């Protein structure tokens, strides 16, 4: 299982459009469904592997997306309020609801395994405080994060803890192979991810509204692999020097 050490490798995070394979990066984080045969990035995983690159596949595990091919498989009873992204709504991740939808999410992990993804970036597992439409607690949120990590590992996939700054603790650091945080500099939350670095695990950091000149020095001191991106997560990036 891929487990990068801090400060982590140069990386690219591109979730829309044809992946720019010319980017000078060791790890590429791309959309899972777009990497299926016949889709815009069909075959990209194998091409990147031939060049010695690591490929992480992005998928939602805590939200329903109207535009995904498995959207109709989710029962309406587990679909909550919008996440703020068009066509995306929170899922009821409380343990009692798992039997109604979790198997659909695990099939996405199966797809990642079949396509040859080295690991996964499971998103939208942190509904607490985001008005999801269900009375989800921090305990519920943590239990779901841990279950997602365990399911990924059962399939031999590396797995990162995406966001969830409010519940990072020793158990979660141990469960995940690395972390990915958005806007921790902007919201003064980066220190919350230091336990990953202390455990010898990489933290991948992205900022949208702050120029690299303002956060790269701090990111380097913390041991993060950081870059600036635009929220659409296309090709554009401005990476901080690693090391």
């Amino acid at each position: 299982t891929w487990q990068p050490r801090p400060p982590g490798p140069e990386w690219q995070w591109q979730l829309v459009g044809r992946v720019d394979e010319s980017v000078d990066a060791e790890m590429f984080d791309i959309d899972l469904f777009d990497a299926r045969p016949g889709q815009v990035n069909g075959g990209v995983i194998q091409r990147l592997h031939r060049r010695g690159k690591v490929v992480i596949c992005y998928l939602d595990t805590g939200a329903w997306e109207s535009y995904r091919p498995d959207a109709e498989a989710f029962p309406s009873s587990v679909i909550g309020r919008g996440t703020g992204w068009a066509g995306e709504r929170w899922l009821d991740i409380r343990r009692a609801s798992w039997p109604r939808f979790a198997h659909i999410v695990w099939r996405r992990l199966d797809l990642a395994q079949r396509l040859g993804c080295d690991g996964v970036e499971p998103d939208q597992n942190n509904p607490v405080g985001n008005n999801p439409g269900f009375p989800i607690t921090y305990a519920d949120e943590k239990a779901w994060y841990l279950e997602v990590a365990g399911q990924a590992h059962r399939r031999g996939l590396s797995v990162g803890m995406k966001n969830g700054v409010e519940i990072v603790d020793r158990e979660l650091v141990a469960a995940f192979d690395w972390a990915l945080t958005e806007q921790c500099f902007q919201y003064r939350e980066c220190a919350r991810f230091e336990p990953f670095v202390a455990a010898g695990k990489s933290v991948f950091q992205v900022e949208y509204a702050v120029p690299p000149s303002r956060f790269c020095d701090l990111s380097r001191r913390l041991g993060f692999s950081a870059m600036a991106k635009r929220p659409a997560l296309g090709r554009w990036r401005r990476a901080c020097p690693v090391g």
Side-chain angles (χ1 to χ4, degrees), residues 89-205:
R89 295 163 66 180
W90 295 106
L91 289 169
D92 184 359
I93 60 169
R94 293 175 295 173
R95 189 181 297 270
S97 295
W98 292 3
R100 287 182 279 165
F101 79 94
H103 59 286
I104 308 167
V105 175
W106 310 150
R107 286 202 293 264
R108 294 179 171 188
L109 295 179
D110 292 337
L111 174 62
Q113 183 186 45
R114 289 198 306 273
L115 291 178
C117 307
D118 297 295
V120 289
E121 180 213 331
D123 199 13
Q124 302 293 36
N125 301 306
N126 56 329
V128 178
N130 290 303
N131 195 24
F134 305 104
I136 298 171
T137 66
Y138 283 134
D140 296 325
E141 186 172 298
K142 178 179 175 178
W144 181 245
Y145 266 109
L146 290 172
E147 182 67 14
V148 168
Q151 291 286 341
H153 283 148
R154 288 174 203 172
R155 292 160 174 81
L157 297 165
S158 175
V159 59
M161 183 172 178
K162 172 76 171 290
N163 294 327
V165 61
E166 64 280 353
I167 60 167
V168 171
D169 64 11
R170 185 177 301 176
E171 189 175 8
L172 286 161
V173 170
F176 287 89
D177 301 301
W178 42 277
L180 195 160
T181 171
E182 295 173 290
Q183 299 169 279
C184 73
F185 180 90
Q186 181 179 346
Y187 295 114
R188 301 182 180 181
E189 298 171 336
C190 294
R192 299 291 296 275
F193 287 92
E194 287 186 85
F196 280 94
V197 175
K201 300 180 179 184
S202 293
V203 174
F204 297 99
Q205 173 196 354

Side-chain angles (χ1 to χ4, degrees), residues 33 74 146 159 175 181 211 213 237:
F33 287 102
F74 290 86
L146 290 172
V159 59
T181 171
S213 59
R237 73 196 271 271

Side-chain angles (χ1 to χ4, degrees), residues 31-44:
D31 185 79
L32 171 66
F33 287 102
D34 284 352
R36 292 173 297 156
Q39 301 302 309
V40 64
N41 289 312
V44 72

